[in-house]
Amino acid sequence: MNLQENISLKSYNTFGINCKTKYFTECFSIKEITEAVAFSKQNNIPFLVLGGGSNVLFTKDFLGLTIKINSKGIYTEKNDENHILVTAQAGENWNDFVQHCINNEYGGIENLSLIPGNVGTAPIQNIGAYGLEIKDIFYELKALNVETLLEEVFSLKQCKFGYRDSFFKNEGKGKYIILSVTFRLTTKNHNINTSYGDITQILNKQNITKPTLRQVSDAIIHIRESKLPNPKEIGNAGSFFKNPTINTEQFNTLQQKFPDLKGYENANGIKISAAFLIEKANLKGKRFGNCGIHEKQALVLVNYSDATGQEIYELSQHIINIVNKEFNVLLQAEVNVI
């Protein structure tokens, strides 16, 4: 294990927050990850696991050990005549992994193109986009039990996936480090889903009626690039807030005031767009000092000019308070605040 001290984390988080960690190590194997956790236990210091740094907001220095996961590797195993099991190590870049699958004609994952982050952090959030979530293609994952330092296998049921939620965000938080994830994908007869968002519109403009996996992925990448800022150009962590779920009565009341409000029924009520509420509160595109709300996507908070994490956090609280006051809807952060 290569241990460093007093390292800046600015280049390791997509918000570009300039904060420090007392100890830092990059782990390229399960053995190094285990050694890093053992070091934190032996020295009685907390540890923080970083993947792509795309879903975290640092509001202060971290006075423990930051473990940067960089383990690589993609492996396949035939499942049945139409399915293959594809396993990726936690340190694999998520979009690179998606593109690898598409290049090999493995279907089912294409709607999750260009989502930032690494494979290991994807199940924690149960990431999703364009009508698909991790749980829909998930098979199993391996994780390190930080107490016993032993590997454990988690099934779909054990992960307790919910909307941007999982076992690893709740009772398993801080108790496990995800080492690898296995997905069950199709090898033929792909069930291509273009019904969500602007995918069909993009494909129609290209006169594509029977799209390939690549064409669906390219359409989604085009949409995401047109709406979302590139973290390499302006600091951000993608969608900062979850889309809230409200009851039917509350939805009907809001829709009377805003007829263009769309709702999607789920097991807990009706899910609505957080971006819609933020925009209706006249916050979209507003700048507050060194940070602000992106002009094209109200869910995205951006670091314009060396903002501190505390500034961005206070902006998020301001948005939550305004939306709650105007619409009686309480937004929740999707980003992990440290």
Side-chain angles (χ1 to χ4, degrees), residues 62-117:
F62 183 65
L63 302 178
L65 170 65
T66 297
I67 303 172
K68 176 74 172 71
I69 307 292
N70 276 332
S71 53
K72 306 291 184 183
I74 300 174
Y75 320 98
T76 58
E77 176 186 349
K78 186 175 180 180
N79 184 238
D80 59 34
E81 287 303 312
N82 192 41
H83 293 89
I84 192 164
L85 301 180
V86 187
T87 300
Q89 293 295 307
E92 288 284 349
N93 174 272
W94 175 259
N95 187 57
D96 288 349
F97 172 63
V98 172
Q99 299 309 311
H100 170 88
C101 292
I102 293 170
N103 290 339
N104 285 277
E105 201 62 24
Y106 304 149
I109 200 170
E110 59 279 355
N111 285 35
L112 300 182
S113 296
L114 207 63
I115 293 179

Side-chain angles (χ1 to χ4, degrees), residues 1 26 29 65 96 106 110 129 154 254 275 279 281 288 294 326:
M1 181 182 70
E26 292 190 65
S29 67
L65 170 65
D96 288 349
Y106 304 149
E110 59 279 355
F154 285 79
L254 280 173
E279 190 167 348
F288 297 80
H294 194 250
E326 294 200 17

Side-chain angles (χ1 to χ4, degrees), residues 246-259 261 270 326-328:
I246 59 179
N247 60 46
T248 303
E249 181 181 356
Q250 193 174 9
F251 174 75
N252 291 336
T253 299
L254 280 173
Q255 199 174 47
Q256 286 178 2
K257 187 175 181 181
F258 305 104
L261 174 65
I270 299 178
E326 294 200 17
F327 309 110
N328 193 31

